[in-house]
Amino acid sequence: MDTTPASADELIVLGKITSVHGVRGEVKVYSFTDPIDNLFDYRRWILRRGDEWRQVDLVRGRPQGRLLVAKLKGIDDRDEARALADFEICVPIAQLPRLGEGEYYWHQLEGLRVIDQADRLLGKVDHLLETGANDVLVVRPCAGSLDDRERLLPYTEHCVLQVDLAAGEMRVDWDADF
């Protein structure tokens, strides 16, 4: 296995190896992609656990309930597979599919300044939550923000008016009822 990673800034985490499956070196994987088996679109994975890095090739994979089972090249027994538990599965951001106009990956929204229609800084997008009905922006206060409140804003057309990645901000129609 090659242990040379790409720059961490050029990678995105798409899943995590959770445990071993069976005795032939397969691993159980929790996928962050939607649908979950989209993780199998990436044949070369860069694994990261703390400061430890490994590069592996996916041989095959299959869904199993809410998890995936993957066979990795060169991992042929249970002990080798167990050693991969808790590794994050990363791929280069450049390998992600291009999105259409007005579509964004969550990682692109994280860190954006959130500004309301009165030009008040509400904070920065810390992360997003999937709720089923719609995604939710978790906006945490930052230097210069309106107050020290954390806000949960729906990621909907009604609330998010504009996203400007180049400027590092998003404009929202914020209402105290959110």
Side-chain angles (χ1 to χ4, degrees), residues 118-148:
D119 283 327
R120 298 178 298 190
L121 176 62
L122 301 178
K124 288 186 176 184
V125 177
D126 184 69
H127 61 282
L128 288 92
L129 302 171
E130 185 176 356
T131 65
N134 55 263
D135 296 335
V136 174
L137 300 160
V138 178
V139 179
R140 294 214 168 126
C142 64
S145 62
L146 176 65
D147 54 31
D148 289 334

Side-chain angles (χ1 to χ4, degrees), residues 74-135:
I75 306 297
D76 297 315
D77 68 42
R78 187 172 180 84
D79 292 332
E80 291 174 326
R82 183 180 291 118
L84 297 178
D86 297 323
F87 270 91
E88 294 175 320
I89 300 166
C90 307
V91 299
I93 290 172
Q95 289 184 5
L96 296 176
R98 300 263 183 240
L99 296 178
E101 182 71 27
E103 294 180 314
Y104 304 96
Y105 286 109
W106 282 13
H107 77 272
Q108 293 176 298
L109 301 175
E110 293 169 350
L112 293 182
R113 293 182 307 278
V114 179
I115 302 168
D116 71 5
Q117 289 182 301
D119 283 327
R120 298 178 298 190
L121 176 62
L122 301 178
K124 288 186 176 184
V125 177
D126 184 69
H127 61 282
L128 288 92
L129 302 171
E130 185 176 356
T131 65
N134 55 263
D135 296 335

Side-chain angles (χ1 to χ4, degrees), residues 32-78:
F32 304 146
T33 64
D34 183 23
I36 64 169
D37 59 352
N38 275 1
L39 183 60
F40 296 144
D41 291 346
Y42 305 93
R43 305 308 288 183
R44 176 157 288 169
W45 295 350
I46 299 170
L47 304 181
R48 177 180 66 194
R49 182 174 59 195
D51 292 334
E52 190 177 357
W53 297 82
R54 296 183 183 188
Q55 188 168 302
V56 296
D57 292 320
L58 176 67
V59 175
R60 66 181 175 276
R62 67 183 184 281
Q64 182 151 351
R66 292 185 302 208
L67 295 176
L68 303 172
V69 173
K71 175 67 175 132
L72 303 174
K73 185 176 181 182
I75 306 297
D76 297 315
D77 68 42
R78 187 172 180 84

